[in-house]
Amino acid sequence: MRSNSVAVLDIRSSEICALVGERGVNNTFIIKSKYVCAYDGYAEEELIDVRNFTEAVCNAVKSTLSAMNGIKTFYVGVPGEFLKLRCLDKVLSFKSAKRISSADCSLLLDSCRPEKNEKWITVKSTCAYYVLSDKRKVIDPIGSVSDSLQGKCCFFECKTAFADCVLNAFKNFKEITSVNLIPSNYAEGMYLFEPDCRDECVVLFDMGYISSTYSVVCGNGLLYSESFSLGTGHIALYISSKLDVPFEVASTFLSQINLNAKEKLTSNEECVFEGQTYTFSTAELRDIIREGLDGMCETIEECRRNFVGRNIDSKPLFITGDEVKTIRGTADHISSRLEKTVEIIAPKVPYYDKPQFSSVLSLLDAALRDINK
């Protein structure tokens, strides 16, 4: 594998994607290899089936190694379900005004680093922003003159049990000598929003199949992040329960309905499964799906209330993730329910400019930045 290429493993709540790529022109990517496989997923901070997860990881890595030679390092995204974010304010005071150096920034972070814990390991530390003695807030203080340095320090901690499962899966491949863990919510925040957008708070909602994540992005870090076991899979399960139909039928109906469409009251949706035909009113299906989405909206609203750092009431909600497009009209319904502007955000690259690629390309971007430090 070329030295400017990296291998990443994106772990979503319904599938795993292994991808090898490098930086192209105009901040695009050149994808060398891509492999996707489904697995049972995770919920409530636990893998649903550890053996199934291990097999999926091994299949993805094996496929990648057979397609690309010379891979020694993998970057693995840690889902929000297995992350804990600590945000701390810390101040360093100097004897007199001095020019801030990178060493000062490192000392600030090290001075408030969480103590080691058997259940959690720190996989990323950064300062969202800094405040100088003249009260100026800056993202990069290096070179500025100040007699103090205050920082909003962010520590991303990964659940040790999950990290162990990932590392144990990679032990099957002797050619892989290094596995680096990257917080997926952090990678998305840094990649999807330009630095000038992150000067103020940006609110991001990643909608998944079993698990979704709500984050408040600011500067070079996150001020808040909460994951919850709720996604389109739960809405399909709700349809299945309400209509007493197989889950596969409910999932088909979920993808057939357009919440913005104006069909006649007599219109129906039909699905054939295992030789049996299921027919239901389009209006009834739409109402059930809206009820399911309303539950998700309530959780988003709860996250907004729980974040007390700044007033984000007037901020638009950006949504992304592999399940955003499953239900047509999702963004409009969430916007109407929350009474706020909702925008779908996706990578700005050809062929991959869809929200389902946000997570894996954010990981790729973070990995490429790491090797170019």
Side-chain angles (χ1 to χ4, degrees), residues 2-268:
R2 291 171 53 170
S3 59
N4 54 350
S5 295
V6 294
V8 300
L9 191 73
D10 184 33
I11 302 171
R12 301 291 292 177
S13 59
S14 62
E15 63 183 27
I16 291 175
C17 175
L19 185 145
V20 177
E22 61 185 55
R23 191 80 66 183
V25 297
N26 299 323
N27 213 31
T28 59
F29 300 109
I30 301 171
I31 307 302
K32 301 287 189 177
S33 169
K34 183 170 178 282
Y35 178 84
V36 178
C37 64
Y39 77 116
D40 291 344
Y42 47 79
E44 306 297 340
E45 299 182 6
E46 299 288 344
L47 290 166
I48 293 174
D49 187 330
V50 174
R51 178 177 294 181
N52 172 261
F53 170 76
T54 301
E55 290 176 354
V57 171
C58 288
N59 288 338
V61 175
K62 183 178 179 180
S63 175
T64 303
L65 293 177
S66 64
M68 301 292 297
N69 295 320
I71 297 177
K72 297 184 180 300
T73 300
F74 252 92
Y75 289 83
V76 180
V78 181
E81 240 355 288
F82 304 101
L83 287 170
K84 180 168 62 175
L85 173 65
R86 292 177 184 262
C87 286
L88 305 170
D89 288 300
K90 184 67 178 179
V91 181
L92 286 182
S93 297
F94 309 116
K95 292 182 178 180
S96 60
K98 58 169 285 187
R99 197 170 296 278
I100 304 299
S101 67
S102 58
D104 297 320
C105 297
S106 297
L107 180 60
L108 182 72
L109 269 178
D110 291 339
S111 66
C112 61
R113 194 174 296 278
E115 295 183 3
K116 290 186 178 181
N117 186 311
E118 290 184 358
K119 295 183 178 180
W120 298 89
I121 57 171
T122 301
V123 292
K124 178 67 182 180
S125 58
T126 183
C127 263
Y129 58 83
Y130 301 86
V131 180
L132 305 178
S133 53
D134 60 4
K135 306 302 181 185
R136 281 186 297 136
K137 188 185 83 171
V138 297
I139 304 302
D140 182 5
I142 296 175
S144 299
V145 176
S146 177
D147 60 16
S148 67
L149 182 64
Q150 178 182 343
K152 176 68 76 172
C153 303
C154 308
F155 298 93
F156 297 83
E157 297 180 306
C158 171
K159 194 172 183 179
T160 304
F162 174 76
D164 288 344
C165 286
V166 171
L167 297 176
N168 286 336
F170 274 94
K171 286 181 179 178
N172 295 293
F173 304 96
K174 295 181 180 179
E175 52 267 75
I176 304 298
T177 58
S178 176
V179 178
N180 299 322
L181 301 177
I182 297 177
S184 291
N185 51 5
Y186 168 78
E188 280 194 338
M190 296 303 103
Y191 174 63
L192 293 176
F193 302 104
E194 296 294 333
D196 57 341
C197 294
R198 291 187 262 114
D199 282 345
E200 295 296 330
C201 290
V202 183
V203 184
L204 177 65
F205 177 62
D206 185 311
M207 186 175 177
Y209 185 70
I210 301 176
S211 176
S212 302
T213 301
Y214 177 99
S215 301
V216 179
V217 185
C218 183
N220 285 330
L222 304 186
L223 301 185
Y224 178 88
S225 189
E226 186 72 31
S227 291
F228 44 91
S229 299
L230 192 59
T232 56
H234 294 84
I235 300 176
L237 189 63
Y238 183 58
I239 296 172
S240 175
S241 175
K242 290 277 285 187
L243 300 180
D244 191 24
V245 298
F247 181 79
E248 293 82 358
V249 173
S251 297
T252 300
F253 283 141
L254 195 66
S255 61
Q256 287 179 347
I257 295 297
N258 184 343
L259 298 180
N260 293 331
K262 304 292 183 182
E263 295 97 344
K264 295 179 181 179
L265 293 177
T266 56
S267 64
N268 294 316

